[in-house]
Amino acid sequence: MTVSTRMLRNFTSPKGSRLPGKVLALALAAAVASPIAAPTPAEAQRGKLSLIRDAETEALMRDYAKPIFRAAGIARSEPEIILVNDKSFNAFVPDSRRMFINIGVLMEAETPGEVIGVIAHESGHIEGRHLVRLRAAASNAAIMSVIGTLLGAGAIAAGTASGTDGVAQGGLVTALGAGSVGQRTFLSYQRGEEAAADRAALRYLDATGQSARGMLKTFDRMAEQQLFSARYADPYAQSHPMARDRHNSLENAARNSKYFNKAEDPVLQYRHDMVRAKLIAYTSHPQSVARAYPRSDKSLAAQYARAIGAMKSRGKGAVPEIDKLIRQHPNNPYFHELKGQALLEGGDPRSAIAPFRKALSIKPNEPQFMVWLGYALVAANNPANLPEAENLLKKAIQRDPNSGVAYSQLAIAHSRQGERPQADLATAKGLMVSGDFQGAKRYAQRAQQNLKRGSPSWLQADDIVSYKPPQLERRR
């Protein structure tokens, strides 16, 4: 899911590029940001919240959530599920439109029901409007300011301000600058609200014909964690207290449901196993992956994990292992995506074009596949590819206006075609999404100097120049 620094030499000095070095550096910084990657030590010290993007994982989470959102009566707004690159078992909802879920939830959960139970519980907080009081009572509201910042940045970058239509979709970045996000005390709810969300979750599960066994298993896990001191307890256990009591109070109601003994959906279980293997492979040391998925394990999930591990260590040398996956399931778009990434990682972007194109042909509306293909077309350094790359990247941004990689590659495509104002504007939009508002203003101002005053592009640049992010509240 990532493009390593080995690929930098293919982009830093594009023939005929008019982008100055700093613009290219900024574009590359966004381009190589890993959708699945641990925060650097410096990021961790600054308390940044690291988010990930992965089409396969996001699709699974949407399918988990849709029935629950309908049962909760929040399907119309359909809260966006945002994946946090944190291996702890945690989830929270800072507003009614976003649900943050750590990848640790997926990595620890053995069944779909455990994840669905978490989604159902957090949906209970949204339906119960617990967030209004939470925001008012929070001792540190910095996270809400960050969410507001993302909302504004997403709107501006997508061109949904100043005379344009549309609704901002909120920004996703690889690392959010918000030191107080890690303060899990902010995530604590009143005990009554926790109980209400638990009961609501049971209702949603029953209404959708799903078992609450996974939810009870989650409480068991939390109760075990609470045996340790608060210093070592998992953040989810700290912010959702009294797990054993909650388990006991819900167990009878859960067991009385006619769906309690219903088996897990085999299709969802298969997809869960695949996503879990992917996350473990991308975020763990190769030796840990080998222990979790030894060669003796012939399951497709184990083969997937080992292929990803090989791609991380050998680049395009992993293609034979990935091809074995493709032969077994030729219509799995994520296997073709992995092959394209391995080739891109191995310094062969021209060969990466075909597997990315195949992935997109199987799932034609997936914006992340559009970005990957656009990236490979730009990286191939063939001028004939640039119009197609530009078109793909613009389509991807229309569907997902928060992709820093899309903006960075679009900037390079514009630059190589001699379209410097548009390159500057794309760079400015990418910087907006990443939260570098001052840098975005500088490039937007430069773009305006060479754009027709009053044109749509000029107005978008003006929105960026005029944007004022909300001020973060500081703890006293």
Side-chain angles (χ1 to χ4, degrees), residues 51-349:
L51 308 181
I52 68 168
R53 299 302 307 273
D54 176 62
E56 184 176 14
T57 307
E58 291 174 8
L60 178 62
M61 296 301 285
R62 286 193 297 269
D63 288 345
Y64 282 162
K66 282 180 181 178
I68 297 298
F69 288 168
R70 285 196 297 268
I74 58 175
R76 181 171 297 180
S77 61
E78 191 174 356
E80 181 181 13
I81 295 181
I82 299 172
L83 299 169
V84 181
N85 187 24
D86 189 321
K87 292 185 179 182
S88 62
F89 198 101
N90 199 5
F92 61 95
V93 281
D95 59 23
S96 63
R97 295 185 56 200
R98 295 165 184 81
M99 183 179 295
F100 288 75
I101 297 181
N102 286 6
I103 60 171
V105 172
L106 284 155
M107 293 169 69
E108 289 192 37
E110 296 178 352
T111 64
E114 296 170 58
V115 182
I116 294 169
V118 171
I119 294 173
H121 172 84
E122 299 302 334
S123 298
H125 284 305
I126 295 176
E127 185 204 15
R129 299 180 61 81
H130 301 159
L131 305 169
V132 175
R133 183 148 60 91
L134 173 64
R135 287 198 295 266
S139 60
N140 188 334
I143 189 173
M144 299 313 304
S145 295
V146 171
I147 295 300
T149 297
L150 289 175
L151 181 60
I156 298 298
T160 56
S162 284
T164 57
D165 296 327
V167 179
Q169 297 183 20
L172 289 183
V173 292
T174 302
L176 286 176
S180 62
V181 170
Q183 297 294 327
R184 297 305 185 194
T185 54
F186 177 81
L187 310 180
S188 298
Y189 297 86
Q190 298 294 325
R191 291 181 180 179
E193 292 175 348
E194 286 296 334
D198 290 343
R199 291 193 297 270
L202 285 182
R203 291 201 312 272
Y204 308 152
L205 292 170
D206 206 55
T208 55
Q210 300 183 84
S211 172
R213 288 197 316 276
M215 186 175 175
L216 292 180
K217 187 172 182 180
T218 294
F219 287 149
D220 281 336
R221 178 188 294 108
M222 290 162 56
E224 291 175 1
Q225 292 167 348
Q226 289 172 347
L227 294 175
F228 297 93
S229 67
R231 178 180 178 184
Y232 297 107
D234 185 273
Y236 192 87
Q238 293 176 4
S239 61
H240 295 70
M242 303 174 64
R244 179 57 60 194
D245 290 344
R246 291 165 66 191
H247 178 284
N248 293 340
S249 66
L250 291 175
E251 185 173 15
N252 287 337
R255 290 185 178 279
N256 286 334
S257 169
K258 62 182 178 180
Y259 302 111
F260 185 77
N261 292 316
K262 184 177 179 180
E264 296 280 357
D265 183 322
V267 174
L268 287 183
Q269 183 67 61
Y270 160 77
R271 293 174 63 193
H272 179 87
D273 292 342
M274 296 295 284
V275 163
R276 189 180 184 213
K278 170 183 274 190
L279 294 173
I280 290 172
Y282 269 110
T283 62
S284 303
H285 190 277
Q287 292 181 356
S288 299
V289 177
R291 287 194 297 270
Y293 297 98
R295 290 286 173 182
S296 58
D297 187 344
K298 304 300 183 183
S299 68
L300 194 65
Q303 295 177 58
Y304 198 19
R306 292 194 293 268
I308 292 169
M311 186 275 295
K312 287 175 61 182
S313 61
R314 303 201 303 270
K316 66 179 180 180
V319 167
E321 290 193 44
I322 300 171
D323 280 339
K324 292 178 183 178
L325 295 172
I326 292 174
R327 283 195 292 271
Q328 294 177 70
H329 292 273
N331 292 320
N332 185 320
Y334 308 112
F335 293 166
H336 295 283
E337 178 193 29
L338 182 62
K339 181 176 181 177
Q341 186 185 348
L343 290 164
L344 205 55
E345 283 278 340
D348 190 1

Side-chain angles (χ1 to χ4, degrees), residues 17 24 31 134 222 257 310 390 415 419 443 446-447:
S17 172
L24 283 172
L134 173 64
M222 290 162 56
S257 169
E390 180 182 334
S415 177
E419 301 164 352
Y443 283 100
R446 193 166 75 177

